[in-house]
Amino acid sequence: MALKPIEILITAKDEASAVFGRLQTKVAAVGVAIAGYFGIQLFKDAVQSAADFEAAMSRVEAATGASGQELQALQKAASDAGASTQFTASQAAGALENLAKAGLNSTQSVQALNPVLNLAAAADVELATAAEYVTKAVMGMGLSFDDAGRVADVLAKGANASNTSVTSLSQALSYAAPIAQTVGLSLEETTAIMGKLADAGIDASRSGTSLANVLAQFSDPSSAFKKELVALGITTNDFNEALRQLEASGDKGKNAIRAVGLEAGPALQSLLNQGMGSVDALAEKLRNAEGSAAAAAKVMQDNLQGSIKGLGSAWEAVQNTLMTPVLPVLTQGVNDLANAFRASVSDGTIDRFGQIIKTAFENGIQGVTTFIASFDVEAIIAKFQAWAESAGDAFGKISQYAQTAGGVVQVVWGAMSTGANVVMAVIYKVAEAFAGVASNVQSGIALILDGLAKVTFGGLSASFKAAADEIRLSAEATGAVTQAFSDQAAAAFD
């Protein structure tokens, strides 16, 4: 009976609805699987992040000896840094640890943290490195850690106002700061001299050691440098003022410059060539450097890369906040499991399992030994001997046949033909087996691709279907090769 057009349309609609219904179910199942995977991964990452922060704070606790409210203040400082800067809470905790190891107490570490964060961002260095720069400068110049912000600002401003970097300035200061503060130079004055030496192309280590050398001789009344200054009528104990007067002396001051030595002399000359006015001007800028580290840090972070870093640290703050309450529960669970393992060892349970495994291996080895011992080696040797003797008889007969002139060629050709056929038959059989395995593997892959084609749609489904058809054709071709190898093996035995 012919179907009416309306019946055809209804049937097509029902079949399409069934297909889309099955497709929707499969897509939903795939969605649930994907969501489950990412949900587990997110939970794992969150726990790991919170655990890392917890471990970092444990190191801070050990370094500071803090407890109670002091430890809470340290943890809050690190958490706040993670939520508001490009650095994570764990990194901020690492900076607190470094500050504490440099000799700062808990309160001082918290006070110094923000300057260190700003300097690290401004100079694009690691937090641990920035903490080292600040602490060495504070200690070298004989300052208090209340001046940590001042140190960070001067270093940031000095690097931007001269041909150098925060790293180079800090390295130079590490050489010159101790002697600089003994002769009365301020942080700003010392940094200004370092900046001008850098402008003259003198690297950090050389400028630092040169300035330390000049300062040491200036503070020593018996040094040749000091005597030459006195000979010029320069008797002030103010180092900057002494250099101004030396600059004003012109060529008369050459002997004093040479007196400081072959390494320090050129550095001192380059400083005087630029004029002490330029040194004073840079020092004045550095006295007004407040807020420079924070401003430079803001500029350095005002880009996509900085925003991505900020997003990462903010996300870690979210993870830490969510998972920190969970950590004690997980810790207790892990400890309970570890205790259960220890108890199983101590009460002999694990040992009993070990004994069972030992017995199994012993029985297995004994079985293999018994099986090997069941062979009658003498009988096997006797059979091989009999075979060798029969082979000898066969070769003897071949030798007899070969006595005739025409028989020699016949015998050799027959032996070679028989051997070659046997070898070729074996080769064909091996090839047949490998080809059969390959055909089966290809068929299995085709079935998997067919399955993927059924649970996907659109171009992706068509791609899976086309790939399945192609591999299925390849499997059929491989099957034909298998049959060909089988035929060749049979022919070789004929």
Side-chain angles (χ1 to χ4, degrees):
M1 182 179 65
L3 293 174
K4 297 179 180 179
I6 188 63
E7 292 176 336
I8 295 174
L9 290 174
I10 292 173
T11 301
K13 175 180 178 299
D14 291 341
E15 291 179 353
S17 297
V19 169
F20 280 109
R22 291 194 298 272
L23 179 61
Q24 184 178 11
T25 300
K26 292 174 181 178
V27 169
V30 172
V32 170
I34 293 173
Y37 169 79
F38 283 107
I40 293 172
Q41 189 64 36
L42 285 173
F43 178 77
K44 174 181 172 294
D45 291 344
V47 170
Q48 186 62 58
S49 174
D52 289 343
F53 179 56
E54 182 184 47
M57 287 308 304
S58 294
R59 292 191 292 271
V60 172
E61 182 180 1
T64 60
S67 60
Q69 293 183 348
E70 285 186 343
L71 186 59
Q72 290 177 4
L74 289 165
Q75 183 166 344
K76 184 178 186 303
S79 297
D80 290 346
S84 60
T85 71
Q86 68 174 17
F87 300 103
T88 66
S90 296
Q91 291 173 325
L96 288 172
E97 179 189 358
N98 290 330
L99 291 170
K101 288 181 176 180
L104 282 70
N105 60 34
S106 299
T107 302
Q108 292 171 332
S109 296
V110 171
Q111 290 175 344
L113 180 60
N114 279 335
V116 167
L117 292 169
N118 288 331
L119 183 62
D124 194 23
V125 296
E126 298 292 331
L127 275 177
T129 303
E132 179 184 353
Y133 292 164
V134 170
T135 55
K136 283 187 175 181
V138 167
M139 292 180 176
M141 294 301 302
L143 305 174
S144 72
F145 283 104
D146 293 337
D147 292 317
R150 172 189 167 196
V151 169
D153 289 334
V154 168
L155 290 175
K157 185 73 170 180
N160 289 330
S162 56
N163 186 26
T164 186
S165 64
V166 169
T167 296
S168 294
L169 278 179
S170 299
Q171 184 180 356
L173 273 176
S174 68
Y175 292 105
I179 187 68
Q181 64 99 7
T182 63
V183 301
L185 286 179
S186 68
L187 170 69
E188 291 78 8
E189 291 169 336
T190 307
T191 305
I193 293 173
M194 295 298 181
K196 300 315 292 183
L197 289 174
D199 286 346
I202 301 175
D203 63 38
S205 61
R206 186 179 163 206
S207 67
T209 54
S210 296
L211 180 58
N213 193 348
V214 173
L215 291 173
Q217 294 189 54
F218 178 76
S219 61
D220 181 7
S222 64
S223 69
F225 178 54
K226 191 69 171 180
K227 290 177 181 179
E228 290 292 340
L229 289 178
V230 172
L232 292 169
I234 302 173
T235 58
T236 179
N237 290 323
D238 184 325
F239 181 72
N240 282 332
E241 179 59 29
L243 292 188
R244 293 187 193 97
Q245 295 180 24
L246 181 59
E247 178 189 359
S249 69
D251 290 340
K252 295 178 182 179
K254 296 293 185 182
N255 289 336
I257 295 173
R258 283 193 291 267
V260 297
L262 294 176
E263 181 178 350
L268 178 58
Q269 184 65 67
S270 68
L271 189 64
L272 296 177
N273 288 344
Q274 296 178 77
M276 287 304 294
S278 65
V279 176
D280 294 337
L282 180 53
E284 186 60 28
K285 285 183 180 179
L286 298 179
R287 292 187 187 97
N288 297 297
E290 184 176 356
S292 295
K298 186 176 184 301
V299 172
M300 291 291 288
Q301 297 176 64
D302 191 17
N303 49 58
L304 178 59
Q305 186 176 15
S307 297
I308 292 173
K309 289 181 179 178
L311 176 62
S313 62
W315 175 240
E316 186 187 277
V318 171
Q319 292 176 313
N320 292 346
T321 302
L322 284 174
M323 291 295 109
T324 296
V326 179
L327 292 183
V329 178
L330 295 177
T331 301
Q332 185 60 50
V334 172
N335 288 338
D336 290 345
L337 182 60
N339 290 333
F341 283 144
R342 295 187 187 100
S344 297
V345 172
S346 62
D347 66 12
T349 300
I350 301 300
D351 181 64
R352 288 194 292 274
F353 275 110
Q355 294 299 325
I356 293 172
I357 296 172
K358 171 190 172 185
T359 301
F361 273 99
E362 288 176 345
N363 291 339
I365 293 171
Q366 182 62 40
V368 172
T369 304
T370 302
F371 176 72
I372 294 174
S374 66
F375 285 102
D376 189 343
V377 178
E378 295 296 331
I380 293 174
I381 292 174
K383 289 181 180 179
F384 272 107
Q385 183 66 36
W387 175 81
E389 291 174 354
S390 64
D393 293 340
F395 281 112
K397 292 178 181 179
I398 291 173
S399 177
Q400 291 174 7
Y401 293 143
Q403 297 303 312
T404 64
V408 173
V409 175
Q410 180 181 359
V411 170
V412 172
W413 173 253
M416 289 178 63
S417 298
T418 302
N421 287 343
V422 171
V423 171
M424 289 305 299
V426 171
I427 291 174
Y428 286 136
K429 278 298 182 182
V430 172
E432 176 190 351
F434 276 105
V437 172
S439 177
N440 291 335
V441 170
Q442 288 173 314
S443 297
I445 294 173
L447 288 175
I448 293 173
L449 291 174
D450 276 334
L452 291 173
K454 293 178 181 178
V455 299
T456 55
F457 52 88
L460 183 59
S461 176
S463 298
F464 282 133
K465 185 68 171 63
D469 292 341
E470 183 177 347
I471 292 177
R472 189 174 291 105
L473 287 174
S474 178
E476 292 173 359
T478 307
V481 171
T482 304
Q483 184 58 48
F485 279 132
S486 177
D487 294 341
Q488 290 292 334
F493 279 116
D494 290 340

